Amino acid sequence: MSDSHPAPDWIGHAIGWHVYPLGFTGAPIHGDGTGADGAAGAAVAADGHAPDGARLDHLTGWLDYVQELGLNVLQLGPVFESATHGYDTLDYFRIDRRLGDDAAFDRLIAAAHERGIKVLLDGVFNHLSSDAPMFREALEDPDSDAAKLFDVDRSGDRPTAPCFEGHLDLVEFDHRAPETAEFVESVMRHWLERGVDGWRLDAAYAVDPDFWSGVLASVRADFPHAFIYGEVIHGDYVDIVGRSTMDSVTEYELWKATWSSLKEHNFFELQWTLGRHDTFLESFVPVTFVGNHDVTRIASQVGQDKAVLALVILMTVGGIPLIYYGDEQGYTGVKEDRFGGDDQVRPSFPATPAELSTLGAWVHTAHQRLIALRRRHPWLHRGRVTVTSIANERITYDVTADGRTLTIELEVTGKPSAVVREGENVEFRYPRP
């Protein structure tokens, strides 16, 4: 991992399930009483919120499914009180009433830990809702403690503060202020004390990496086993990890090359990116994925057959793999640039796994087999890649670490196919003969 901070030992065996809780549980998101998929949320009380923590308990009921997949990390999207989609936080110390309450959260953490599943929270510390009480206080009282957290401009007719990427409803914290560092640290500590095992730092690419070094040093002094990584879409990954002291960052470069190579039948793009990937592994182990809450589903990008090949890549190269909920069932969904454009990729899940459609069963089986392969070869966490044969529509590469080697063959001509071997032993073949 990062030379400046060794990541916790457990991360070397981590394979996670990334869930967007508001969508998964069918919570109303757009203020119209409907969930992300447009369906009415279940168990809604008169005030529009779920009674007695019903929705988080719905997620808790899926932990056996997570374990049976072979996963041991639950990466949660936003769970704090927010205005709409979760990334517009209102209160960092309160569970979103649409999801439940503190007791429901405690039940989820306890049930996960009973199964050996670590839980990571989504920390939206770059910005918050413009309707957040603390920001409203900052606008109204320039001498308040809250005002120290924001770069408020009072020169005009009314006070304003910088917004995140042009979204007027998302106000940025002032990360130059020591009070902001103290506030973020207090939030991280609060939930680590409540039992969570680490943090995903949302929009970390928008925050000066140096902001994190002091915050994380203080947090890790008391929580050395916490895993903390940042959402970084673009930029110098190695420099960001080194300066911030985060354990890792999301590797969007590999995500893009994976689906693009499969979609365009151009494995040369993947070859180039795997070379970059190896250089990252010299400094840290990236968080890898083929889907998340912000992007078009892999099955929609390349089709379900090629989506299995994308999973082969994810599970055979170095990294900390995250599987986005629904991908293991072959879910489709397109992200669109419009109001509600994320809804297709943030759907609700049924009450129990037994209620899932059988149409995705074969995709689920492929995930189980490839996750099991990864479990049999934990050294793949830091595996280095050597491409041994390549053409536009076919690639063969070796992954090596600790004196072990796997050979992977992928082909997209005709029926997409994949073979994973250790020596003469075939560990995985798709499609099955």
Side-chain angles (χ1 to χ4, degrees):
M1 290 288 179
S2 166
D3 294 334
S4 57
H5 170 75
D9 291 341
W10 61 265
I11 209 66
H13 300 271
I15 310 175
W17 203 45
H18 180 186
V19 173
Y20 176 72
L22 290 168
F24 183 97
T25 61
I29 291 175
H30 301 306
D32 56 2
T34 62
D37 59 0
V44 180
D47 65 354
H49 297 300
D52 302 324
R55 291 197 177 94
L56 272 186
D57 287 336
H58 169 55
L59 177 54
T60 301
W62 280 78
L63 292 176
D64 286 344
Y65 171 89
V66 176
Q67 191 175 39
E68 289 163 4
L69 260 176
L71 306 177
N72 60 358
V73 176
L74 179 63
Q75 168 65 74
L76 295 175
V79 297
F80 305 144
E81 187 76 13
S82 68
T84 58
H85 47 65
Y87 290 95
D88 47 359
T89 313
L90 295 171
D91 188 339
Y92 288 87
F93 294 98
R94 182 173 184 171
I95 296 297
D96 197 307
R97 287 171 289 177
R98 294 169 293 173
L99 294 173
D101 53 19
D102 278 358
F105 179 79
D106 290 343
R107 289 193 293 272
L108 174 60
I109 298 298
H113 287 171
E114 286 171 4
R115 292 163 175 80
I117 298 171
K118 304 285 189 182
V119 181
L120 308 179
L121 293 188
D122 208 340
V124 189
F125 299 129
N126 176 68
H127 51 267
L128 78 168
S129 171
S130 58
D131 290 326
M134 61 192 301
F135 179 62
R136 292 299 179 188
E137 180 183 353
L139 294 182
E140 295 168 4
D141 183 359
D143 297 321
S144 65
D145 289 341
K148 299 175 183 178
L149 303 175
F150 306 97
D151 182 19
V152 178
D153 181 356
R154 304 181 187 275
S155 62
D157 294 336
R158 59 180 183 176
T160 61
C163 297
F164 176 56
E165 296 183 348
H167 299 286
L168 297 180
D169 55 339
L170 299 177
V171 180
E172 292 189 322
F173 286 102
D174 182 0
H175 294 92
R176 298 168 300 176
E179 291 82 2
T180 298
E182 292 169 6
F183 173 76
V184 170
E185 180 187 333
S186 70
V187 176
M188 295 181 73
R189 285 178 171 276
H190 175 82
W191 295 102
L192 287 166
E193 289 169 357
R194 292 285 300 276
V196 305
D197 302 286
W199 290 90
R200 169 192 180 271
L201 304 176
D202 181 69
Y205 61 88
V207 179
D208 186 332
D210 294 331
F211 168 82
W212 292 111
S213 59
V215 170
L216 299 188
S218 178
V219 169
R220 287 187 176 119
D222 294 322
F223 302 97
H225 300 299
F227 174 64
I228 302 167
Y229 76 99
E231 179 199 18
V232 177
I233 298 175
H234 46 70
D236 186 337
Y237 292 160
V238 173
D239 178 68
I240 291 171
V241 169
R243 289 168 54 201
S244 69
T245 73
M246 290 185 289
D247 293 309
S248 184
V249 294
T250 53
E251 194 184 349
Y252 270 84
E253 288 187 20
L254 183 60
W255 161 77
K256 194 272 179 182
T258 298
W259 68 256
S260 181
S261 294
L262 293 169
K263 185 174 184 175
E264 304 299 333
H265 291 198
N266 178 17
F267 277 127
F268 289 97
E269 180 180 357
L270 179 63
Q271 178 190 34
W272 188 88
T273 304
L274 288 173
R276 289 265 298 167
H277 182 72
D278 269 8
T279 66
F280 300 148
L281 287 166
E282 296 172 3
S283 301
F284 71 99
V285 179
V287 174
T288 53
F289 59 96
V290 296
N292 66 30
H293 64 293
D294 279 333
V295 302
T296 291
R297 290 268 184 187
I298 186 66
S300 290
Q301 282 281 21
V302 302
Q304 289 182 336
D305 283 348
K306 292 179 187 175
V308 174
L309 272 60
L311 182 68
V312 172
I313 297 167
L314 179 68
M315 287 298 157
T316 60
V317 302
I320 303 161
L322 293 182
I323 293 170
Y324 186 54
Y325 83 104
D327 281 356
E328 79 284 354
Q329 293 289 336
Y331 274 30
T332 58
V334 176
K335 178 182 172 66
E336 299 175 338
D337 187 16
R338 60 173 178 80
F339 177 77
D342 296 313
D343 291 354
Q344 283 190 38
V345 298
R346 302 176 179 182
S348 60
F349 254 38
T352 68
E355 297 175 48
L356 285 167
S357 167
T358 58
L359 294 176
W362 69 274
V363 182
H364 182 266
T365 298
H367 276 74
Q368 285 183 311
R369 293 171 60 207
L370 283 163
I371 293 167
L373 182 150
R374 182 81 171 202
R375 290 269 170 246
R376 293 193 300 273
H377 302 282
W379 54 268
L380 285 168
H381 175 72
R382 279 190 171 273
R384 304 298 179 90
V385 172
T386 301
V387 174
T388 57
S389 175
I390 188 168
N392 283 336
E393 298 177 321
R394 181 180 176 86
I395 188 171
T396 301
Y397 60 88
D398 291 341
V399 183
T400 303
D402 299 339
R404 303 280 296 276
T405 298
L406 290 182
T407 298
I408 295 88
E409 301 172 11
L410 304 176
E411 187 164 354
V412 292
T413 54
K415 178 74 171 177
S417 63
V419 179
V420 180
R421 293 187 176 90
E422 184 174 29
E424 298 299 317
N425 180 46
V426 175
E427 296 252 342
F428 176 86
R429 185 186 298 276
Y430 173 79
R432 282 179 166 176

